[in-house]
Amino acid sequence: MHVQEWLETIPAVSIYLLVGVVIGLESLGIPLPGEIVLVSSALLASQHGEIDPYVLGACATAGAIIGDSIGYAIGRRGGRPLLAWLGGRFPRHFGPPQIAMAERSFQKWGMWAVFFGRFVALLRIFAGPLAGVLRMPYWKFLVANVLGGILWAGGTTAVVYSVGVVAEAWLKRFSWVGLLLAVLIGVTSMLVLRNRAKKAAAEAERDAALPAAAVAD
């Protein structure tokens, strides 16, 4: 059953809770389809008046901010062993290439990595725990976390809801076109992220090998 079709079978309150919990767990560091659930729920809200888009956006925003904050606390307390444990449990999301890419993003951009990471599926999972592991000052993390959560969750809800209201009839007739575009965008994003992760891992290994070579000389 399609996500949106399944959402149509549950009450509005359950949808609000589901969106908040799934996005919160994803932001905490557990690989879950938070964006898919949010987009599907916002589209459903545009077609069914009993789902309030403002409440939906607020629940998504709260889940994003609270989840990231919990992830930060866990990362700060767990440190590097936490990343090693996550790599063993979720190698496709927390493997060495993904960790290397995320660390380089944080070292280069600092709190902006938390803010913009909210809009990138891979970094959205990493942002909270990794910011805690790298000991980012909490006030910087909190500012970036709140602003990023509001803009991503609230903005996504508003845009998808507006598009759904305007283009509901078109989407019903040409839903296969939207599905094809979604698949192409998803595959392209995955390939780009995987390529960047491999490059980041290679650069990290090269940087680590330089001091060893200098010592040997």
Side-chain angles (χ1 to χ4, degrees):
M1 182 182 293
H2 191 273
V3 174
Q4 191 170 350
E5 293 176 349
W6 177 75
L7 289 173
E8 291 178 348
T9 65
I10 62 178
V13 173
S14 299
I15 292 177
Y16 301 145
L17 292 174
L18 178 69
V19 168
V21 170
V22 171
I23 290 177
L25 291 175
E26 182 190 39
S27 302
L28 189 152
I30 299 176
L32 289 175
E35 193 165 38
I36 293 176
V37 171
L38 177 58
V39 169
S40 298
S41 299
L43 269 177
L44 190 62
S46 70
Q47 301 163 6
H48 298 273
E50 63 269 19
I51 302 175
D52 190 325
Y54 293 100
V55 177
L56 182 67
C59 290
T61 301
I65 295 172
I66 294 172
D68 249 11
S69 297
I70 296 174
Y72 174 91
I74 294 174
R76 193 173 181 89
R77 187 179 183 86
R80 294 282 175 178
L82 174 65
L83 295 181
W85 180 81
L86 288 172
R89 295 294 300 272
F90 307 105
R92 293 182 60 186
H93 297 87
F94 289 91
Q98 289 80 10
I99 295 249
M101 186 191 75
E103 284 189 327
R104 290 178 69 85
S105 298
F106 270 73
Q107 290 167 0
K108 183 176 182 180
W109 301 106
M111 64 185 292
W112 290 110
V114 177
F115 178 82
F116 289 111
R118 175 57 62 185
F119 300 88
V120 180
L122 184 63
L123 290 180
R124 188 160 56 244
I125 300 172
F126 277 107
L130 193 56
V133 170
L134 297 178
R135 303 282 174 173
M136 176 182 290
Y138 182 68
W139 72 268
K140 289 186 176 181
F141 170 80
L142 183 62
V143 170
N145 177 29
V146 171
L147 293 178
I150 291 173
L151 191 59
W152 174 74
T156 298
T157 303
V159 170
V160 174
Y161 177 81
S162 300
V163 170
V165 170
V166 172
E168 181 179 357
W170 187 90
L171 287 172
K172 285 182 178 179
R173 291 185 180 181
F174 302 100
S175 58
W176 61 271
V177 177
L179 177 62
L180 178 61
L181 288 175
V183 170
L184 290 175
I185 292 172
V187 170
T188 303
S189 301
M190 181 186 69
L191 293 176
V192 170
L193 287 173
R194 181 178 296 177
N195 186 46
R196 290 183 179 178
K198 288 181 179 179
K199 287 183 179 179
E203 291 176 4
E205 291 178 1
R206 186 172 62 251
D207 293 342
L210 289 177
V215 172
D217 293 339

